[in-house]
């Protein structure tokens, strides 16, 4: 996954597509000098923040070391006017070779206190950032004792490499078979915009009206599988194809130890289905669950998918629980911490043709965020896609409904 993200970024090396950054405004009671010490100690404790990308002196292969220096975090005292100017250039592209892969700044102005943190996505994912990093930063700030020794990401990488040749070959065959025949003209929604050569990202947010979190209290199906199934059916209906080939994102943390690991753990799993043979919603959901479980067993062979770019053009499904609430309802030292939006600029970019991200809010309602290539799709086309998704979700509430009825209705 690290290699794939870096290779993808090299195609748009001057973009901020791999920056995981946020500007936070604190309550004025926060002691920034104490926070600077807590941040420095936290960054020093985990090997992932010492990571540096270098070219191997013997082979010239791109690799990583875990012995880079941590520069102590300091507090910059500047005017409000200067801070407004600094905001314009906080998020800039990473220069990758033998440089730190994070940025951490603290600002104090006459009227406010701010923190800007930015991590290169190939070293940290959203789960590590929101659950592990943020919580431990507050614990260290409050002087609470960190009892568990930090786990080493380098040890995790070495363990990942211990896959047997037989297991690797079996997994390679599984993933190549699943992705065989992918064609963006068949498996992505048909573009409705032509003659726009420049790739550029747009996104829309739409509430899903036909389902709430309460629905899953009384059904024998996990919400992520149900919503993935609905997304697959939406792709089948909008493409007019009986086969669906796409990707779905998993946080990669399956054990208690992995849930404590500071680093990037997420994986992008291919998934496919042939709807030529009709079946009920109930049987589709059951079969999809089995297929996902089988794919999880071949996680260590995903390197083949990444290295060969087998799913680079696929639509991707992402499910997040209460991510928006976590960002908008941040608390630090018992007081609200506000996330401040940063201005987009000409180096803002992303990499996929279509990401279908379904989020569960704190109110138990779902909304879909569509990140899409606006040189392929109009906003109207994306609204139609979301409306179709919502209609299919409603139809899927009937376990006995046949898939053919949903796709042909």
């Amino acid at each position: 996954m690290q290699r794939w993200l870096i290779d993808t970024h090299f195609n748009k090396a001057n973009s901020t597509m791999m920056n995981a950054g946020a500007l936070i405004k604190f309550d004025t009671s926060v002691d920034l000098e104490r926070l600077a010490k807590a941040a420095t100690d936290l960054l020093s404790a985990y090997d992932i923040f010492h990571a540096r990308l270098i070219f191997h002196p013997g082979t010239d292969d791109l690799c990583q070391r875990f012995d880079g220096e941590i520069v102590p975090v300091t507090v910059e005292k500047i005017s409000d006017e200067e801070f407004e100017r600094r905001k314009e250039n906080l998020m800039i592209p990473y220069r990758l070779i033998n440089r730190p892969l994070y940025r951490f700044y603290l600002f104090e102005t006459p009227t406010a206190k701010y923190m800007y943190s930015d991590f290169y996505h190939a070293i940290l994912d959203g789960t590590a950032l929101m659950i592990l990093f943020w919580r431990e930063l507050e614990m260290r700030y409050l002087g609470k004792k960190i009892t568990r020794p930090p786990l080493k990401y380098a040890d995790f990488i070495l363990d990942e490499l211990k896959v047997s040749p037989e297991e690797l070959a079996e997994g390679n065959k599984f993933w190549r078979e699943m992705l065989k025949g992918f064609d963006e003209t068949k498996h992505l929604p048909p573009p409705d915009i032509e003659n726009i050569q420049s790739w550029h990202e747009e996104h829309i947010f739409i509430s899903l009206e036909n389902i709430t979190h309460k629905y899953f209290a009384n059904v024998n199906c996990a919400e992520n599988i149900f919503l993935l199934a609905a997304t697959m059916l939406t792709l089948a209906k909008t493409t007019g194809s009986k086969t669906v080939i796409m990707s779905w994102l998993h946080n990669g943390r399956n054990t208690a130890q992995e849930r404590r690991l500071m680093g990037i753990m997420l994986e992008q799993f291919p998934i496919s289905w042939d709807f030529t043979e009709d079946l009920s919603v109930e049987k589709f959901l059951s079969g999809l669950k089995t297929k996902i479980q089988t794919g999880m067993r071949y996680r260590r062979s995903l390197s083949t998918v990444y290295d060969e770019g087998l799913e680079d053009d696929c639509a991707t499904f992402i499910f997040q629980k209460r991510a928006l609430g976590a960002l908008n309802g941040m608390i630090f030292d018992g007081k609200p911490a506000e996330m401040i939006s940063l201005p987009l600029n000409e180096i803002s970019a992303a990499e996929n043709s279509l990401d279908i991200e379904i989020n569960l809010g704190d109110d138990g309602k779902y909304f879909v965020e569509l990140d899409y290539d606006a040189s392929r799709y109009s906003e109207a086309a994306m609204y139609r896609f979301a409306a179709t998704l919502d209609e299919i979700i409603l139809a899927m509430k009937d376990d006995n409904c046949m898939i053919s009825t949903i796709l042909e209705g």
Side-chain angles (χ1 to χ4, degrees):
M1 173 57 82
Q2 284 185 297
R3 288 198 308 270
W4 185 45
L5 289 174
I6 293 166
D7 288 345
T8 302
H9 188 202
F10 280 160
N11 294 326
K12 297 185 179 77
N14 292 322
S15 81
T16 55
M17 63 193 297
M18 293 298 170
N19 293 52
L23 177 63
I24 306 296
K25 182 180 180 181
F26 289 116
D27 186 88
T28 54
S29 64
V30 170
D31 184 337
L32 289 188
E33 295 294 344
R34 181 150 52 112
L35 183 58
K37 173 67 166 55
T40 301
D41 290 346
L42 173 52
L43 293 166
S44 300
Y46 289 90
D47 69 341
I48 194 63
F49 303 117
H50 296 262
R52 302 292 185 270
L53 298 174
I54 63 168
F55 291 107
H56 192 284
T59 65
D60 288 334
D61 291 334
L62 187 67
C63 58
Q64 59 186 329
R65 296 174 62 102
F66 290 87
D67 56 359
E69 179 184 0
I70 300 295
V71 178
V73 177
T74 58
V75 180
E76 295 184 52
K77 296 186 177 182
I78 59 178
S79 68
D80 289 300
E81 294 76 16
E82 185 179 355
F83 176 72
E84 289 301 314
R85 291 192 293 270
R86 285 291 301 275
K87 276 171 58 177
E88 298 290 330
N89 296 302
L90 284 175
M91 186 172 289
I92 59 175
Y94 276 96
R95 300 293 175 248
L96 298 182
I97 306 304
N98 201 23
R99 299 194 186 186
L101 298 175
Y102 70 89
R103 302 185 184 102
F104 200 103
Y105 307 136
L106 295 175
F107 302 100
E108 182 174 357
T109 75
T111 62
K113 296 179 179 180
Y114 302 92
M115 176 188 83
Y116 177 73
S117 59
D118 191 353
F119 302 92
Y120 191 61
H121 197 21
I123 69 164
L124 210 66
D125 57 30
T127 300
L129 179 57
M130 292 305 303
I131 296 178
L132 301 177
F133 189 92
W134 181 255
R135 288 179 181 175
E136 185 165 329
L137 179 64
E138 184 179 34
M139 288 179 66
R140 289 178 180 271
Y141 174 83
L142 296 174
K144 295 182 179 180
K145 187 175 182 181
I146 308 299
T147 56
R148 290 178 172 176
L151 299 173
K152 293 184 178 181
Y153 192 74
D155 290 343
F156 169 73
I157 292 175
L158 291 174
D159 185 62
E160 285 286 285
L161 296 175
K162 293 177 182 178
V163 57
S164 70
E166 295 78 16
E167 181 185 347
L168 188 63
E170 186 179 350
N172 291 347
K173 180 181 178 181
F174 176 83
W175 293 123
R176 289 191 181 112
E177 182 66 26
M178 181 173 289
L179 288 162
K180 184 173 65 177
F182 174 81
D183 183 340
E184 67 176 51
T185 65
K186 296 179 181 178
H187 300 115
L188 285 175
D192 67 329
I193 291 181
E194 298 179 354
N195 301 321
I196 297 180
Q197 301 301 318
S198 176
W199 192 107
H200 60 286
E201 179 196 19
E202 294 287 353
H203 61 269
I204 59 172
F205 297 86
I206 304 168
S207 296
L208 296 174
E209 303 298 333
N210 291 325
I211 196 165
T212 67
H213 187 53
K214 291 180 180 179
Y215 173 77
F216 295 100
N218 301 309
V219 297
N220 187 28
C221 181
E223 58 192 321
N224 62 312
I225 293 177
F226 182 95
L227 295 169
L228 172 59
T231 301
M232 296 178 76
L233 287 169
T234 304
L235 280 172
K237 191 162 187 174
T238 55
T239 61
S241 174
K242 289 291 186 180
T243 60
V244 172
I245 302 176
M246 60 177 296
S247 300
W248 66 283
L249 217 61
H250 184 265
N251 66 25
R253 290 170 163 84
N254 297 305
T255 67
Q257 187 174 37
E258 288 174 347
R259 285 190 282 273
R260 291 178 46 223
L261 196 57
M262 193 80 75
I264 182 167
M265 302 288 291
L266 63 84
E267 300 282 9
Q268 188 163 315
F269 284 86
I271 191 72
S272 65
W273 197 276
D274 186 344
F275 291 108
T276 302
E277 183 178 342
D278 200 10
L279 73 170
S280 67
V281 168
E282 182 180 20
K283 288 187 177 180
F284 174 41
L285 292 172
S286 176
L288 185 60
K289 178 181 179 181
T290 299
K291 198 164 195 175
I292 287 172
Q293 291 172 338
T294 303
M296 296 286 282
R297 295 205 301 268
Y298 293 118
R299 180 179 62 84
R300 293 192 180 195
S301 293
L302 283 171
S303 57
T304 295
V305 177
Y306 301 144
D307 292 344
E308 298 178 12
L310 298 179
E311 63 177 354
D312 284 2
D313 297 320
C314 291
T316 303
F317 169 81
I318 306 163
F319 176 58
Q320 305 233 52
K321 282 191 174 185
R322 298 179 172 86
L324 193 64
L327 293 175
N328 291 336
M330 300 174 78
I331 300 294
F332 190 84
D333 192 17
K335 302 175 184 67
E338 179 186 359
M339 177 169 286
I340 307 296
S341 296
L342 289 171
L344 293 177
N345 52 48
E346 69 276 6
I347 54 178
S348 303
E351 69 274 19
N352 293 336
S353 296
L354 179 60
D355 284 344
I356 303 123
E357 180 176 327
I358 298 181
N359 290 274
L360 172 63
D362 290 328
D363 57 1
K365 296 181 180 179
Y366 298 91
F367 68 91
V368 59
E369 178 183 358
L370 299 177
D371 284 297
Y372 61 97
D373 177 0
S375 69
R376 292 176 58 94
Y377 304 117
S378 67
E379 185 179 84
M382 292 295 95
Y383 274 102
R384 289 194 297 270
F385 185 94
T388 300
L389 172 64
D390 211 5
E391 291 168 3
I392 285 175
I393 285 173
L394 179 61
M396 285 178 59
K397 288 183 175 180
D398 178 0
D399 278 347
N400 297 315
C401 183
M402 301 303 289
I403 295 302
S404 60
T405 302
I406 294 174
L407 294 182
E408 296 168 8

